[in-house]
Amino acid sequence: MPQANKRLAQGQSSENAPSVTRSITLKDVARVAGLSPITVSRALNSPQLLRPATIARVREAVELTGYIPNLLAGGLASKRSRLVAAIVPQLFNAMFVETVQGLGDQLAAHGYQLLLSLSGYSPAHESELVSAILSRQPDGIVLTGINHAAETRKRLLSANVPVVETWDLTPTPIDMLVGFSHQKIGETIARYLHGKGYRRFGLVWADDERAALRRAGLETVLNEYGIGKAASHMVPTPATLALGRKGLQVLLDSGSSFDAIVCSSDALAQGVLTEAQVRGIKVPGQLAIMGFGDLDFAAHTVPSISSVHIDKRAIGIQAANALLARIEGRPLKQRILDVGFELIERETT
Amino acid sequence: MPQANKRLAQGQSSENAPSVTRSITLKDVARVAGLSPITVSRALNSPQLLRPATIARVREAVELTGYIPNLLAGGLASKRSRLVAAIVPQLFNAMFVETVQGLGDQLAAHGYQLLLSLSGYSPAHESELVSAILSRQPDGIVLTGINHAAETRKRLLSANVPVVETWDLTPTPIDMLVGFSHQKIGETIARYLHGKGYRRFGLVWADDERAALRRAGLETVLNEYGIGKAASHMVPTPATLALGRKGLQVLLDSGSSFDAIVCSSDALAQGVLTEAQVRGIKVPGQLAIMGFGDLDFAAHTVPSISSVHIDKRAIGIQAANALLARIEGRPLKQRILDVGFELIERETT
DNA sequence: ACCAAGAATGATTGCGCTATCATTTTTTGG
DNA sequence: CCAAAAAATGATAGCGCAATCATTCTTGGT
């Protein structure tokens, strides 16, 4: 079999190779190692089935040939892609970055890779993304939020793939859920600020669906306290410092007077704070400011910004854990995990 | 062949389906449409080869069956995965977020998906990631920076996959490059600040490799002006406002006096600015502050932060374009694209 | 009406891997 | 030292799709 021998020799040196170099496959490695392809496959995927000496032979051959497994082929044959997909609205929003990072880190630690898609807050786009994602046969999917197109839900259900929804709470998730209650946060903020004696509220608020929930909670409680609908200025996502400044300008120019501005995110709060300082408004003496998200800067501005802390990274990590448990067939303690939140009182209130 | 008929019937209605529902394949769609599988494949991938009536029949059958293509199988057969992988150091660093977003958007617009990996600034980790990534047969790879483990370079070269390095410049990229000169930025900052009359420089600097290049440029020019090595405080990544405040504290406590603090990022600059204000130091009267990156807040702090603008999103978009051109066999105008930079003079200098 | 040229569709095969079952080798206990 | 059990390795087949080449159907020109 000179043919085979010749090939074997070519394994290492690449002299007179044809223009299109066929890539190294399991078979090549097997030939070099003097084993069957399936044994090589096992050495790489279930080494506990083989004796150490065999594994060493394989490792050597892999080294020698520079073999890189083809996960498309592997996934096709095994029905396991070792891929997890995540959809977040956007990355500009620093909130999601930590979740994605936590998710990515945790998945990587368990041999999974992350396919990231950005929906831009559009359920229609999300729906398309889900189709595209399912094409890759992911072992799990992480979604942001709980409101999805009916189509999305249906596709995910019939694909029979583990799904984790995040960043919100509902008793009826598609599958699993890691989040917290925006409604409760709104309520908590309202009680807290009311308790501190603030009465004339203004809102600088992002136009996204979860922010709307927080707002609903806030207004419900304010209403209970007999405080009417607060004046508000809506801003588009992503919320920035500049939009926060603009927000306070608009609110003040409207002629109303305020003793507290509640913002849907820390970036907006920082903007409101900046604008207040520019105008010589004492914070919190004349005006209190409340943020949300407890981003890294909130504790270190002067004055520091009161906010609501969310363990954003934990959401990613727990989402990964939930998926990993489901994928590996381990029992899941709870389908729904509430990571909670914590109101952080700082100097702006 | 009753067996076959039974299957056909099951295609649409899912009554008495076995517990493990075999997923819908091209074959199923073909059967429903009364066409051959390959024709269905063409209807989905090269519709221009078929007559509209046929495509309509296929579309109908797809609708009816809820067919989702299997890209693992498709990729294996066609050698095209429609997947592009990117490695960035981290997402916390707002700098990379825009690039990733631009990259993701542009790729999505062309039917490609983004596999995102985080290297945490470690070449060793990057090397592992590259192996893992190559396993998925991506059609292209985007790397951050130009310094990679020798192993990484070798693997990428032998995998024969289009590669774009980003965020830096070199005459000898692995393949393609979209970036800018950090050295030049450092030099430009030095000339600019020197021109404004500043002489006593302090640095608050992140400990990453591209920041080091900017610093080298800065120090080279300062040296030409006869200014000795500037006092510096190094901070770990990710750089934050808090680290910036700390940085100024440390520098001032060292006893030296400064008339300008140069920071390796806007977040640090914002921190330095905050700390200066706390201490009653007039900016820029007593102390100038220079940032880098021109993040969204830089223009809107008070005083606004002078910075260096990088078109971060363009890096992502151009990287995507370069890959797409290469993948689709279009001629590439230039292997190396310098997106440049722009020093933005604002109030802190 | 007929034929050539092109357009549309189909049959076969294999991408690289792993599930499954079969076989061989090693270990164990009496 | 042997049979039986267990461990290690191998042979076969097929995952779902698209490249390739083969065949059938349309056209339009005369």
Side-chain angles (χ1 to χ4, degrees), chain B residues 225-341:
Chain B
Y225 288 136
I227 296 176
K229 197 145 186 148
S232 71
H233 175 74
M234 300 301 289
V235 305
T237 57
T240 62
L241 187 150
L243 289 169
R245 287 189 65 176
K246 182 80 185 305
L248 183 59
Q249 284 170 31
V250 171
L251 285 179
L252 292 178
D253 290 357
S254 75
S256 316
S257 88
F258 304 95
D259 59 7
I261 302 292
V262 187
C263 303
S264 65
S265 76
D266 285 348
L268 291 175
Q270 194 179 19
V272 169
L273 174 59
T274 302
E275 184 64 20
Q277 288 172 332
V278 167
R279 296 184 175 225
I281 298 172
K282 292 212 163 52
V283 176
Q286 298 171 261
L287 188 70
I289 301 174
M290 182 84 206
F292 168 77
D294 193 22
L295 296 187
D296 66 75
F297 57 81
H300 304 280
T301 54
V302 177
S304 56
I305 299 170
S306 294
S307 189
V308 175
H309 179 80
I310 306 295
D311 195 341
K312 305 176 278 294
R313 185 174 169 84
I315 293 177
I317 292 177
Q318 295 300 342
N321 287 342
L323 286 178
L324 290 168
R326 176 66 60 83
I327 292 169
E328 292 164 9
R330 279 181 278 127
L332 197 62
K333 270 159 283 177
Q334 37 193 351
R335 284 192 346 139
I336 299 182
L337 183 63
D338 184 348
V339 299
F341 60 87

Side-chain angles (χ1 to χ4, degrees), chain B residues 7-8 18-19 22 25 80 82 98 196 208 240 252-253 257 265 285 293 322 346:
Chain B
R7 280 230 181 135
L8 195 149
S19 64
R22 192 183 51 84
T25 72
R80 299 196 49 208
R82 299 207 147 265
E98 275 196 59
K196 298 279 283 189
D208 90 73
T240 62
L252 292 178
D253 290 357
S257 88
S265 76
R346 296 208 181 92

Side-chain angles (χ1 to χ4, degrees), chain B residues 78-160:
Chain B
S78 71
K79 309 277 179 200
R80 299 196 49 208
S81 61
R82 299 207 147 265
L83 189 68
V84 166
I87 302 182
V88 297
Q90 54 185 16
L91 252 22
F92 292 127
N93 194 324
M95 305 295 288
F96 299 124
V97 163
E98 275 196 59
T99 297
V100 170
Q101 184 111 20
L103 180 66
D105 291 349
Q106 187 74 353
L107 288 174
H110 291 261
Y112 284 77
Q113 285 174 274
L114 180 66
L115 187 73
L116 184 70
S117 303
L118 309 170
S119 70
Y121 285 105
S122 151
H125 191 197
E126 184 191 61
S127 180
E128 287 171 28
L129 290 176
V130 165
S131 289
I133 283 169
L134 287 175
S135 291
R136 295 204 189 271
Q137 318 291 113
D139 291 339
I141 298 185
V142 177
L143 300 178
T144 306
I146 56 171
N147 287 320
H148 314 286
E151 192 67 9
T152 303
R153 233 187 142 87
K154 207 178 73 189
R155 284 204 190 107
L156 288 171
L157 250 19
S158 72
N160 201 31

Side-chain angles (χ1 to χ4, degrees), chain A residues 96-137:
Chain A
F96 300 124
V97 163
E98 276 194 58
T99 297
V100 170
Q101 183 110 23
L103 180 66
D105 290 350
Q106 187 74 353
L107 288 174
H110 290 261
Y112 284 77
Q113 284 173 275
L114 180 66
L115 187 73
L116 184 71
S117 303
L118 309 170
S119 70
Y121 284 106
S122 152
H125 190 197
E126 184 191 62
S127 180
E128 288 171 27
L129 289 176
V130 164
S131 289
I133 284 169
L134 286 175
S135 292
R136 295 203 190 270
Q137 318 290 112

Side-chain angles (χ1 to χ4, degrees), chain A residues 3-9 11 22 25-37 40 57 61 65:
Chain A
Q3 170 65 11
N5 280 328
K6 190 177 157 213
R7 280 234 182 129
L8 196 150
R22 194 185 49 82
T25 72
L26 253 198
K27 230 188 226 170
D28 300 312
V29 178
R31 208 181 298 117
V32 169
L35 292 163
S36 73
V40 175
R57 265 165 77 192
T65 53

